[in-house]
């Protein structure tokens, strides 16, 4: 790989800066030992940006995000900004990055490491060897649908959001689902509420059409979202790729995350479409967990989801599967060695800090290099 890829790092709020620091340790290691260096630029997002500039992301940062080869984000939000107007709240920065970069495909893999089987609240036999991929549509649906707002009609106040999907929006996320499944176990479960929602009926129709149109080598099934939530805790290994809309994907991915033992373990990738002129595919990588303000600054947070997000960055933005595999193996080795941050602590294991965990991953990478 050429040595001048630009990485925009947005640590954000709460534990964001701490966990991102540990991922940077791995970025630096890659530069030293694997001889590809990233030009790393850091900037503000979320509440940190609001405090400095009065908005959750600035236009200048958006330009940097658009021109970077990839973005790595920590987490945004916290009670400090609870009373800020909705369009300036920390979450608005994240949503603008997703929307303006058109990062419509959000990959949230839920993998259970053998060493963490006892951290899951589910029985070991239910989660052993689990490897599923939740694909969440990220730039449409009720998160962005119009009209929305709080308004008065005939003297009664209403709160209102709109769930809306266009045919191309469903089609393109389905294509990503089939492509992902093709490299995995060739099964896609498309999730909606076609029993209740018009948008669900439409989603199912377009999903079926996309399947018939060149994807019949993949098995497609449909499931209602409530049933999917239940099946995820009952028998998660029945799934390979789950594809769903923005809101159901938000909820189901938190649920799938807990199968793995901790929200602190789950990475994610948000990917857009290739620019026909530059050939560039915009992408942002972030842990699924939030900013955990209660433990911010205490060196207690689990940095593994962010480190694994950097591994996804190498895999999906730069096609560096070998290097990504090395990081995944190093993380697995650290867990096998019994090192645990408090969120995944178990009997007989050694409790380590955020920084110790990052250093331990680097030490394992040294052994693998
Ligand atoms: C997520 C988060 C975000 C979302 C919040 C922070 C806006 O929960 O990435 O899952 O709802 O999409
Ligand atoms: Mg969420």
């Amino acid at each position: 790989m050429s040595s001048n890829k630009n990485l925009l790092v947005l640590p954000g709020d709460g534990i964001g800066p701490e966990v991102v620091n540990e991922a940077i340790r791995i970025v630096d290691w890659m530069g030293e030992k694997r001889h590809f260096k990233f030009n790393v630029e850091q900037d503000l997002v979320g509440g940190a940006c609001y405090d400095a500039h009065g908005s959750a992301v600035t236009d200048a940062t958006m330009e940097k995000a658009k021109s970077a080869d990839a973005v790595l984000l920590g987490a945004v939000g916290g009670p400090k900004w609870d009373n800020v107007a909705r369009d300036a709240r920390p979450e608005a920065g994240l949503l603008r990055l997703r929307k303006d970069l058109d990062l419509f495909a959000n990959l949230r893999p839920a993998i259970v490491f053998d060493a963490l089987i006892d951290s899951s609240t589910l029985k070991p036999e239910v989660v052993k060897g689990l490897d599923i991929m939740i694909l969440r549509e990220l730039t449409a649906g009720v998160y962005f649908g119009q009209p929305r707002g709080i308004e008065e009609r005939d003297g009664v106040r209403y709160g209102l959001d709109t769930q809306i999907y266009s045919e191309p929006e469903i089609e393109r996320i389905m294509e990503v689902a089939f492509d992902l499944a093709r490299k995995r176990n060739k099964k896609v479960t498309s999730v909606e509420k076609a029993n209740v929602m018009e948008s669900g009926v439409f989603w199912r129709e377009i999903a079926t059409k996309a399947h018939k149109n060149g994807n019949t080598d993949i098995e497609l099934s449909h499931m209602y979202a409530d049933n999917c939530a239940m099946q995820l805790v009952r028998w998660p290994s029945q799934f390979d790729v789950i594809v769903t809309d923005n809101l159901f994907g938000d909820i189901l991915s938190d649920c799938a995350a807990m199968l793995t033992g901790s929200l602190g373990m789950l990475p994610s990738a948000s990917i857009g479409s290739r620019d026909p002129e530059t050939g560039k595919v915009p992408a942002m990588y972030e842990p699924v967990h939030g900013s955990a303000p209660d433990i911010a600054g205490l060196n207690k947070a689990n940095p593994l989801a962010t480190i694994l997000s950097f591994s996804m960055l190498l895999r999906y933005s730069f096609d560096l599967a070998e290097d990504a595999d090395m990081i995944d193996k190093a993380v697995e080795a650290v867990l096998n060695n019994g090192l645990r941050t408090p969120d995944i602590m178990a009997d007989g294991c050694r409790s380590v800090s955020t920084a110790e965990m990052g250093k331990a991953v680097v030490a394992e990478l040294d052994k693998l290099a």
Side-chain angles (χ1 to χ4, degrees):
M1 179 177 121
S2 70
S3 59
N4 54 356
K5 295 291 181 193
N6 295 316
L7 181 62
L8 178 66
V9 173
L10 303 171
D13 309 318
I15 59 170
E18 292 160 70
V19 293
V20 159
N21 273 344
E22 299 316 309
I24 300 279
R25 227 188 263 285
I26 315 294
V27 177
D28 291 344
W29 184 91
M30 286 283 161
E32 271 167 42
K33 300 286 166 67
R34 304 288 287 180
H35 307 294
F36 55 83
K37 286 198 180 5
F38 288 95
N39 301 323
V40 177
E41 182 168 4
Q42 291 217 19
D43 211 338
L44 299 174
V45 73
C49 187
Y50 175 81
D51 289 347
H53 303 291
S55 73
V57 64
T58 64
D59 293 346
T61 307
M62 285 307 305
E63 286 313 310
K64 284 184 204 167
K66 282 178 191 159
S67 64
D69 292 297
V71 180
L72 182 68
L73 185 133
V76 297
K80 183 177 174 197
W81 303 282
D82 272 354
N83 297 320
V84 171
R86 196 176 54 85
D87 61 354
R89 284 177 63 113
E91 291 78 3
L94 183 60
L95 296 179
R96 181 172 174 201
L97 279 157
R98 291 173 178 175
K99 187 71 177 171
D100 287 9
L101 297 177
D102 196 24
L103 306 174
F104 70 95
N106 182 220
L107 283 61
R108 299 189 160 190
I111 293 170
V112 174
F113 289 95
D114 277 349
L116 287 189
I117 271 204
D118 293 321
S119 303
S120 177
T121 46
L122 272 76
K123 291 186 189 132
E125 62 268 30
V126 175
V127 292
K128 188 168 170 38
L130 189 74
D131 178 355
I132 61 183
M133 176 69 85
I134 303 220
L135 177 63
R136 167 185 178 194
E137 197 294 324
L138 201 62
T139 51
V142 76
Y143 271 59
F144 298 98
Q146 293 293 341
R148 61 185 290 155
I150 298 170
E151 59 186 48
E152 199 173 300
R153 295 178 187 175
D154 299 329
V156 179
R157 293 180 75 225
Y158 291 84
L160 158 87
D161 293 281
T162 300
Q163 165 77 336
I164 179 166
Y165 270 99
S166 70
E167 181 164 352
E169 282 164 348
I170 303 170
E171 246 168 31
R172 66 177 182 173
I173 195 72
M174 288 308 301
E175 288 300 331
V176 176
F178 294 128
D179 284 347
L180 284 170
R182 205 161 274 124
K183 295 185 198 123
R184 299 171 46 97
N185 292 323
K186 302 196 164 46
K187 265 173 35 181
V188 170
T189 308
S190 170
V191 172
E192 25 61 9
K193 285 274 295 176
N195 53 344
V196 180
M197 299 166 77
E198 294 302 328
S199 57
V201 172
F202 187 59
W203 180 287
R204 191 174 286 216
E205 177 194 320
I206 305 308
T208 306
K209 195 166 137 196
H211 181 237
K212 288 204 180 104
N213 191 7
N215 293 303
T216 46
D217 56 319
I218 308 296
E219 185 190 321
L220 172 69
S221 57
H222 305 274
M223 196 178 268
Y224 299 142
D226 52 345
N227 185 25
C228 182
M230 187 265 279
Q231 296 296 339
L232 271 173
V233 287
R234 187 183 83 96
W235 176 31
S237 58
Q238 69 184 282
F239 296 111
D240 179 22
V241 175
I242 293 175
V243 58
T244 189
D245 74 16
N246 206 340
L247 182 61
F248 292 142
D250 180 43
I251 298 167
L252 294 173
S253 61
D254 265 28
C255 181
M258 273 320 287
L259 305 174
T260 71
S262 167
L263 206 48
M265 291 300 301
L266 246 78
S268 80
S270 305
I271 299 174
S273 345
R274 186 173 298 279
D275 182 317
E277 274 165 36
T278 62
K280 201 142 97 181
V281 182
M284 180 163 82
Y285 300 82
E286 54 177 313
V288 171
H289 64 68
S291 61
D294 52 323
I295 57 162
L298 299 180
N299 205 10
K300 276 185 176 174
N302 184 348
L304 294 180
T306 314
I307 290 173
L308 291 170
S309 297
F310 177 61
S311 155
M312 290 187 88
L313 182 152
L314 296 178
R315 193 182 300 283
Y316 291 103
S317 281
F318 304 112
D319 226 0
L320 292 167
E322 201 185 313
D323 302 272
D325 286 346
M326 274 179 74
I327 297 179
D328 297 355
K329 280 201 193 99
V331 166
E332 191 165 11
V334 163
L335 295 171
N336 287 343
N337 294 343
L339 271 57
R340 300 283 187 274
T341 42
D343 58 310
I344 47 175
M345 190 55 194
D347 283 350
C349 291
R350 186 154 76 83
S351 176
V352 295
S353 68
T354 309
E356 281 168 333
M357 190 57 116
K359 285 180 192 158
V361 174
V362 168
E364 287 304 325
L365 281 171
D366 277 333
K367 290 186 203 162
L368 291 167

